[in-house]
Amino acid sequence: MKTSFQIGKILGIPIKLHITFLLILPVFALVFATNPAPFGFQNQTSPLMSYLLSFTTTILLFFCVLLHELGHSYVAQRYGVEIKDITLMLIGGVSSMEEIPRNPSQELKMAFAGPLVSLIIGFTIFVSNFLVASMIASYGATSIYMMFNILSSINIVLGLFNLLPAFPMDGGRVLRAWYAKRMNYIQATHYAASVGKLFAFLMGIVGLFSNAWLILIAFFVYIGASEEDRSTTVTVTLEKYSVSDVMTPNVTSVSPYMTIENLLHFMFEHRHMGYPVMEGNSLKGIVTLTDVHKVPPLERAVLQVRDIMTTSVFSLTADAKAADAFKLMMSNNIGRVLVIDSNGSVVGILSRTDLMRAMMLSNEQL
């Protein structure tokens, strides 16, 4: 089942809703409806109107989150970065970018654009609300005023929170851009991630004595900083190699008519966990140990490779960058890709193990 679906396009970017977004809407609406002023509508109006205002506030809040992500995306597009989509989900919005620019000035502007949009929205609503309330005395006590006051406060908090110098917040990327002007990209990422981990540690300590939510956020920040550090190190290191440098040539293939039982023996014999499925010179698919795991033991003597193989095969050419292979594997959660030539013939196979081996050898050389 798809976990997200497209609702439209803005600036040519597909806008998607994740299933978690639909789950969090009623939760947010309930929080606003059951909390007293200034961050809720409890006892301010009738129960029905309270829930209606709460739901409207939630919708507008996530629209503001969308504008935050569009701020990042607009600047990214100006620098030629492809934006695959923007997805609204439980944790907010996520822009799926082809690649973060390595130019420090460009990354800084991209990272700062989102929080800037949130701060502009927040202060614009705040000033507008204040001016209208000053001109119409009775307006200040209405629920509409409170709704915009909530939107103003949350956008300002969102903008400032995202500027904290810690991955995966935008401030972490701003900090990395600052470091990248003074050192190489891997070192810059490592230092920025270390600052993020320190923030996470301090946030967790404060959370122990004040608010348990801070502990959850601290965990999220620590994991995000660690993942950014790791993935950047791998990607930048692998950019030095082409697929042909690290792939396994002379690919061993299997027949689509081989039984699963024989395939297991074949895997044990050749010590690989995945094989292209060939019929003559024609590529039919790819089969892995994961596919075999799905077959009950009693059926392995009957079912054939063609019954369980994956027909959607990811491939690259031999002159592609090894870093591109890593991104392809990570984005599609796959363990290997096939390497093909200009005629579409399979000339090699590249696995995550091959990439990690290249990483270790490169680090040993350094």
Side-chain angles (χ1 to χ4, degrees):
M1 183 180 71
K2 289 186 176 181
T3 56
S4 60
F5 56 92
Q6 186 173 326
I7 59 171
K9 282 188 176 184
I10 301 178
L11 300 176
I13 304 169
I15 309 300
K16 296 182 178 180
L17 292 184
H18 195 268
I19 188 68
T20 54
F21 173 81
L22 301 178
L23 295 175
I24 202 64
L25 276 179
V27 175
F28 267 57
L30 183 63
V31 169
F32 289 135
T34 55
N35 271 282
F39 295 108
F41 303 100
Q42 188 183 43
N43 302 325
Q44 297 299 311
T45 182
S46 67
L48 179 61
M49 183 59 69
S50 175
Y51 279 103
L52 180 61
L53 285 168
S54 299
F55 192 76
T56 303
T57 303
T58 305
I59 295 292
L60 290 174
L61 175 59
F62 275 91
F63 181 72
C64 291
V65 171
L66 173 59
L67 291 177
H68 175 109
E69 294 302 324
L70 284 170
H72 291 305
S73 301
Y74 174 73
V75 176
Q77 285 183 326
R78 290 187 61 188
Y79 292 123
V81 178
E82 180 186 349
I83 312 297
K84 296 180 180 178
D85 57 60
I86 293 175
T87 304
L88 295 178
M89 56 180 66
L90 173 65
I91 59 172
V94 176
S95 298
S96 179
M97 298 186 183
E98 185 182 46
E99 187 176 3
I100 301 294
R102 295 289 168 77
N103 183 306
S105 297
Q106 292 180 3
E107 181 175 17
L108 190 149
K109 292 173 184 176
M110 275 178 53
F112 188 68
L116 180 62
V117 169
S118 294
L119 291 172
I120 289 173
I121 292 172
F123 282 111
T124 299
I125 294 175
F126 176 80
V127 172
S128 301
N129 227 19
F130 178 78
L131 291 176
V132 172
S134 299
M135 290 185 289
I136 307 174
S138 62
Y139 185 82
T142 65
S143 298
I144 300 295
Y145 172 86
M146 290 169 53
M147 180 177 74
F148 285 111
N149 188 54
I150 290 172
L151 287 173
S152 167
S153 301
I154 292 180
N155 271 285
I156 292 172
V157 170
L158 178 66
L160 294 176
F161 180 76
N162 268 280
L163 285 176
L164 287 177
F167 287 116
M169 274 88 77
D170 301 320
R173 302 192 185 282
V174 171
L175 181 62
R176 175 170 63 186
W178 184 83
Y179 275 129
K181 292 182 178 181
R182 295 157 178 79
M183 59 189 71
N184 69 55
Y185 201 70
I186 292 179
Q187 288 177 317
T189 303
H190 180 69
Y191 280 117
S194 297
V195 173
K197 291 176 184 179
L198 177 61
F199 261 94
F201 179 75
L202 295 175
M203 197 181 298
I205 295 296
V206 173
L208 284 174
F209 300 99
S210 58
N211 192 324
W213 279 105
L214 286 177
I215 299 176
L216 181 62
I217 295 172
F219 179 77
F220 173 68
V221 170
Y222 189 91
I223 295 298
S226 301
E227 180 61 26
E228 184 70 28
D229 193 13
R230 185 189 70 85
S231 63
T232 299
T233 300
V234 172
T235 301
V236 175
T237 302
L238 290 177
E239 284 177 350
K240 297 183 293 185
Y241 303 101
S242 67
V243 168
S244 61
D245 294 328
V246 294
M247 72 179 189
T248 300
N250 305 318
V251 183
T252 303
S253 62
V254 297
S255 165
Y257 306 107
M258 179 185 286
T259 65
I260 309 306
E261 191 173 282
N262 288 338
L263 175 64
L264 272 172
H265 292 305
F266 190 87
M267 286 181 169
F268 184 80
E269 209 175 296
H270 291 80
R271 301 181 182 181
H272 292 297
M273 300 298 159
Y275 300 87
V277 182
M278 305 287 292
E279 187 173 5
N281 294 322
S282 176
L283 176 65
K284 296 298 182 181
I286 190 167
V287 66
T288 68
L289 186 60
T290 302
D291 299 319
V292 174
H293 276 314
K294 298 174 184 177
V295 182
L298 294 177
E299 296 181 22
R300 290 174 180 174
V302 181
L303 290 178
Q304 298 178 333
V305 168
R306 62 178 178 173
D307 299 317
I308 66 167
M309 68 182 186
T310 302
T311 53
S312 299
V313 180
F314 292 93
S315 62
L316 288 169
T317 56
D319 59 352
K321 293 288 186 183
D324 293 333
F326 173 72
K327 293 172 192 173
L328 184 64
M329 291 181 192
M330 294 300 292
S331 61
N332 293 283
N333 193 28
I334 54 177
R336 55 195 52 78
V337 295
L338 296 181
V339 186
I340 59 173
D341 61 17
S342 56
N343 298 319
S345 300
V346 179
V347 295
I349 190 167
L350 181 64
S351 67
R352 290 190 187 188
T353 304
D354 295 324
L355 293 176
M356 292 307 104
R357 187 184 300 115
M359 276 287 301
M360 289 189 289
L361 290 173
S362 178
N363 291 336
E364 193 64 32
Q365 287 175 339
L366 291 175

